[in-house]
Amino acid sequence: MLFAPSNGGGGGSFLFWADLKRRKVIQVAIAYAIVAWLVIQIVVAVEAPLRLPAWTDSLVIVLLVIGFPVALVLSWMFDLTPEGLKRTPGADAVGTTVSGGVAGGRKLEYAILGLVVAAVAWLLYRTELAPEPAAEATVAASSGPAEPSAAREKSVAVLPIESLSPDKNDAYFAAGLHEEIIGQLGKIRTLRVISRTSVMRYENTDLSIPEIGRELDVGALVESSVRYAAGRIRVTAQLIDVTTDQHLWSEIYERPFEDIFAIQTDIATKIAAALEAELSNEERASIEAPLTHSPDAYALYLRALATFAATAPTLEASQAYFDQAIALDPEFAQAYARKALYYLLPLGAAITAMPEDPIQRARFAALGRENVEKALALDPDDGLAYTALGWAHQYEWKWTEMAAAFERAVELSPNEPASLAAHGMSLILTGEGDRERGLALVRRAISLDPNRAVWHVVLGLSLVLDGDKPAAAESFQRALDLNPVFPDALAELAVVSAEVGDLEVARRSAQLLDSQWRAAHQPTLAPMVIRAYRAAAMPDDALRVLHELEALDEREVVSAMTWFLAYYALDDAEKALDWLATAVRTHDTYGRYIPMLETRNDFTAPLWDDP
């Protein structure tokens, strides 16, 4: 019979407890709990390094829970004796099996004691004796095949975050969170953080960690995944030394979505600690400050970031999500800043990204200005807001204010390539500052975002204005290596190649650019093709493109500045200046050309020489 009969409530309970002890059920329960705890700790510790699926530890916990009652039943039914596993005798047979039972009991007690010692040792190791991540990094670097370069000592790239969300519509969490973690790390001045645009090419790569590290010239990479479901988020993150391919730090976070800011803060500070990057009090406060107190608003903000990244330069979809986020939290400063930046960036970036219609440009400028003012009123120390403010000043031709805004943006966001490149270019174009510093800022932008073609074009233009045309040609060619159909790069390469005597490259570049013009008939392309053909000594083709632009003007808007650039490329100074006067009078212009025209250089020399 399973339980001894009871002569009274208290006596029955005592006999049952005694029977549990005799059958070693209590000892087995204790031993099982200790073993289960150790197993869970070990699985959590090795899950990230061994790249096990994110659900591994959950599966182990479920199996251990299922196994617990099974272990108790088996301990009730069987004894461990010197002769092996035997069925436990009833209470009336205890006396005949004392020696075997005592021996088995002592073995179990010794086993429990050993497990307790092992558990304590593991706990001490994990909390007190395990080497700090920075120390591991030092050991790993010393045992690797080569010493890391000085530029790579405190540098990191966050690889695209893998989305494990069961609902594919929630994949935006991964893209938005990726950009935000990079942004958090980018606030640390002593850390070089590679931009999101440069790491996206490694989303589905076969390259190894060391190979990616060498291409980006960084010392560490972050691999991570995110799973969102039923209001909870699970983030796994691991920091890997690119020289040794060893883990410097790893963590698994499984919390309500409301804790997303705490997760981002912990990831940023732990990575900084592992790489021994010092945080100032201001940087730490900025990283720890939540962007909003509304989780729903933040989810919409992440969706806006992911939508813009996927559909740029289409703005409407991302702006709608920003508007919804702001409706939930009217004090969401970063939402206003991003919204402003997305409106203003086309007004100061590559020419072909700019709206041709002056009414649309004016609308973008007004919306950008309105939102950047709201952002700065809520958060006067937002670096992205100052970048947007710089573009707004450029559109308004306020060069001194533009340079000051970009300078402040660089101070607040030392790892933001758009701020660095914009300020560098502004210093070179306007003569408001040190040209050498301007070039250094543009090169810094490239070091942070090496796989984005536009920064290589900006560097090439800066080098042209600085008089180093061979180096400029190399920059334009690098831009085309990254984006073979980048119009600005093709046009500038054609011109500078002709000037250094390489007509073959100039003609090939002009013809490639012409193929884009024929395919799209985008008005802003026409002056580039005309200028490229003129530089390549192909005047008939240049005139053909002008006539095609004239035909296009009968069907859609062609801006005054486009006509100025077209006639200027043809050396028709009279018509060019007439159109420039119209462009200035109607504010129908590309902002970056105005300060360039005010500075005497190879591009503007014919204007300066004209009475």
Side-chain angles (χ1 to χ4, degrees):
M1 90 190 140
L2 188 58
F3 299 116
S6 171
N7 295 323
S13 299
F14 176 78
L15 290 174
F16 174 62
W17 182 256
D19 216 23
L20 287 176
K21 293 176 65 177
R22 179 179 65 82
R23 293 172 183 267
K24 311 298 186 293
V25 176
I26 304 301
Q27 294 95 319
V28 169
I30 295 172
Y32 191 96
I34 295 172
V35 170
W37 181 82
L38 280 171
V39 169
I40 292 170
Q41 295 300 311
I42 293 171
V43 169
V44 169
V46 303
E47 183 178 31
L50 295 182
R51 303 185 184 182
L52 299 175
W55 43 261
T56 301
D57 53 348
S58 298
L59 176 63
V60 170
I61 291 172
V62 170
L63 293 175
L64 289 171
V65 170
I66 293 172
F68 184 66
V70 175
L72 295 185
V73 169
L74 291 176
S75 69
W76 178 275
M77 298 174 61
F78 297 96
D79 272 344
L80 183 63
T81 71
E83 290 79 27
L85 200 63
K86 291 186 177 182
R87 189 172 182 85
T88 304
D92 54 349
V94 172
T96 62
T97 59
V98 164
S99 60
V102 170
R106 286 178 177 171
K107 286 184 178 180
L108 189 56
E109 290 169 359
Y110 291 149
I112 292 174
L113 181 60
L115 289 172
V116 170
V117 172
V120 172
W122 176 263
L123 190 62
L124 283 173
Y125 173 78
R126 291 284 288 174
T127 58
E128 302 294 337
L129 303 178
E132 292 295 323
E136 289 182 3
T138 304
V139 173
S142 65
S143 61
E147 291 294 328
S149 66
R152 292 170 51 190
E153 286 180 357
K154 294 180 182 179
S155 52
V156 65
V158 183
L159 296 178
I161 297 178
E162 181 183 6
S163 176
L164 302 177
S165 300
D167 187 345
K168 299 305 179 185
N169 293 324
D170 291 332
Y172 70 88
F173 276 102
L177 192 62
H178 185 218
E179 186 154 350
E180 280 302 291
I181 289 175
I182 291 174
Q184 292 286 69
L185 290 170
K187 296 175 181 178
I188 304 172
R189 190 173 301 277
T190 56
L191 195 61
R192 184 167 65 90
V193 184
I194 302 300
S195 173
R196 183 176 187 273
T197 53
S198 279
V199 298
M200 287 309 296
R201 67 183 299 181
Y202 303 105
E203 188 169 17
N204 296 302
T205 183
D206 293 328
L207 294 177
S208 67
I209 293 296
E211 288 171 332
I212 297 173
R214 281 193 294 271
E215 285 193 3
L216 295 174
D217 191 32
V218 293
L221 294 175
V222 178
E223 283 188 330
S224 50
S225 66
V226 61
R227 183 182 189 276
Y228 174 81
R232 292 188 65 82
I233 191 165
R234 177 187 175 89
V235 179
T236 65
Q238 49 196 355
L239 182 67
I240 307 168
D241 185 294
V242 302
T243 305
T244 64
D245 205 10
Q246 293 183 359
H247 287 73
L248 307 178
W249 165 82
S250 64
E251 192 68 73
I252 299 172
Y253 306 87
E254 188 161 3
R255 302 180 189 175
F257 182 70
E258 289 81 356
D259 291 343
I260 185 63
F261 296 116
I263 294 173
Q264 290 176 184
T265 297
D266 198 62
I267 289 174
T269 54
K270 292 288 180 59
I271 289 174
L275 297 176
E276 297 183 301
E278 296 181 5
L279 274 75
S280 68
N281 292 334
E282 292 79 8
E283 290 167 348
R284 185 177 295 277
S286 178
I287 290 172
E288 292 177 351
L291 296 183
T292 174
H293 295 292
S294 169
D296 292 337
Y298 188 64
L300 289 163
Y301 171 82
L302 293 180
R303 191 183 286 272
L305 299 187
T307 301
F308 183 79
T311 61
T314 303
L315 297 175
E316 299 306 323
S318 61
Q319 298 294 15
Y321 287 125
F322 283 133
D323 288 341
Q324 293 174 49
I326 290 168
L328 292 175
D329 181 3
E331 297 186 353
F332 196 164
Q334 188 72 187
Y336 287 112
R338 285 280 184 179
K339 187 178 178 184
L341 188 70
Y342 289 173
Y343 274 127
L344 292 164
L345 190 58
L347 303 184
I351 293 300
T352 48
M354 193 175 301
E356 183 74 11
D357 187 345
I359 296 176
Q360 188 179 16
R361 285 208 298 275
R363 173 176 168 269
F364 278 19
L367 288 169
R369 164 64 81 171
E370 176 187 343
N371 282 280
V372 77
E373 288 176 354
K374 290 178 179 177
L376 289 172
L378 292 167
D379 184 1
D381 295 324
D382 189 326
L384 278 178
Y386 277 100
T387 299
L389 181 62
W391 294 128
H393 285 317
Q394 174 175 289
Y395 178 80
E396 297 159 356
W397 303 350
K398 297 178 179 177
W399 316 126
T400 302
E401 293 89 340
M402 176 188 73
F406 285 144
E407 180 72 36
R408 183 60 176 153
V410 169
E411 291 175 2
L412 294 169
S413 301
N415 283 300
E416 175 51 56
S419 306
L420 292 161
H423 190 31
M425 193 69 171
S426 74
L427 292 176
I428 294 166
L429 287 181
T430 64
E432 291 287 336
D434 186 346
R435 274 177 170 264
E436 289 187 8
R437 181 165 180 256
L439 282 169
L441 289 171
V442 175
R443 289 191 171 104
R444 168 73 175 171
I446 291 174
S447 77
L448 297 170
D449 199 1
N451 294 330
R452 192 167 188 185
V454 66
W455 308 138
H456 294 277
V457 172
V458 171
L459 177 60
L461 290 169
S462 304
L463 290 168
V464 166
L465 294 173
D466 206 46
D468 192 347
K469 292 177 181 177
E474 292 179 5
S475 291
F476 297 136
Q477 184 57 60
R478 175 56 182 155
L480 291 170
D481 291 341
L482 295 167
N483 181 359
V485 295
F486 194 174
D488 299 64
L490 285 168
E492 299 301 337
L493 181 61
V495 173
V496 78
S497 295
E499 290 177 348
V500 298
D502 195 340
L503 276 181
E504 182 180 350
V505 171
R507 288 172 177 168
R508 184 169 63 249
S509 301
Q511 289 165 346
L512 287 171
L513 188 57
D514 192 11
S515 66
Q516 292 187 49
W517 160 249
R518 289 171 178 267
H521 280 99
Q522 183 180 350
T524 49
L525 285 173
M528 297 184 185
V529 185
I530 293 170
R531 183 164 167 253
Y533 273 137
R534 287 279 295 179
M538 302 172 71
D540 292 342
D541 289 287
L543 284 173
R544 169 182 56 78
V545 174
L546 177 68
H547 297 323
E548 292 170 352
L549 181 63
E550 290 170 344
L552 181 65
D553 188 35
E554 297 176 1
R555 305 192 301 273
E556 61 182 82
V557 174
V558 175
S559 70
M561 197 66 177
T562 295
W563 284 118
F564 160 70
L565 292 171
Y567 283 114
Y568 186 66
L570 288 167
D571 289 335
D572 190 337
E574 183 177 352
K575 288 185 178 178
L577 289 171
D578 285 343
W579 279 111
L580 179 60
T582 301
V584 171
R585 185 176 63 254
T586 61
H587 205 84
D588 176 17
T589 182
Y590 309 128
R592 86 178 187 196
Y593 274 105
I594 297 302
M596 186 185 291
L597 295 174
E598 293 177 353
T599 305
R600 188 181 182 94
N601 51 58
D602 287 353
F603 180 80
T604 63
L607 285 177
W608 282 73
D609 294 337
D610 190 291

